[in-house]
């Protein structure tokens, strides 16, 4: 979507998209679900996800959003998709607008 939107916008408008991240924040504590499902979500799925790098800590989860919304070099990168799973966001050995870009972006 962001790529298609970037093609349709004026050159001085930037369209970027990003993965919102998955983090164990305790948000499911009030979920109206069975105790077994809540246990699976909070203790099994989130732990496995963290072990394989699919989820982030509550402290790391917002880093992609902050990077994409504040880094001045990303004003050149319209149409890109950024993901916390495509780290690092900075000092990746490429231009700043290419750090953290997901493989599905291009």
């Amino acid at each position: 979507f962001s790529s298609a939107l970037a093609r349709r916008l004026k050159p001085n408008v930037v369209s970027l998209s990003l993965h919102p991240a998955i983090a164990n924040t305790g948000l499911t504590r009030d979920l109206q679900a069975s105790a077994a499902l809540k246990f699976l979500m909070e203790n099994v799925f989130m732990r496995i996800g963290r072990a394989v790098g699919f989820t982030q800590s509550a402290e790391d989860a917002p880093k992609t959003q902050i990077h994409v919304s504040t880094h001045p070099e990303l004003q050149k990168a319209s149409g890109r998709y950024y993901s916390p799973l495509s780290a690092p966001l900075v000092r990746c050995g490429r231009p700043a607008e290419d750090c953290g870009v997901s493989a599905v972006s291009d």
Side-chain angles (χ1 to χ4, degrees):
F1 176 80
S2 183
S3 181
L5 184 60
R7 287 191 301 271
R8 291 171 175 81
L9 293 172
K10 296 177 182 178
N12 63 335
V13 179
V14 176
S15 169
L16 301 171
S17 60
L18 57 100
H19 187 283
I22 300 171
N24 190 1
T25 60
L27 191 61
T28 59
R29 69 180 167 267
D30 296 323
L31 180 68
Q32 299 296 319
S34 69
L37 178 60
K38 287 173 76 170
F39 177 82
L40 281 173
M41 289 176 66
E42 294 172 359
N43 296 296
V44 178
F45 298 141
M46 292 304 289
R47 287 185 187 191
I48 291 172
R50 184 79 175 133
V52 298
F54 188 69
T55 60
Q56 295 76 43
S57 67
E59 294 81 22
D60 287 340
K63 287 181 180 177
T64 303
Q65 291 88 334
I66 293 167
H67 174 74
V68 170
S69 63
T70 62
H71 200 293
E73 289 295 314
L74 298 188
Q75 296 302 307
K76 305 177 201 172
S78 194
R80 299 308 248 325
Y81 174 74
Y82 292 85
S83 171
L85 304 178
S86 301
L89 293 174
V90 294
R91 294 185 293 280
C92 68
R94 299 185 306 256
E97 63 270 18
D98 293 337
C99 294
V101 174
S102 175
V104 300
S105 182
D106 296 324

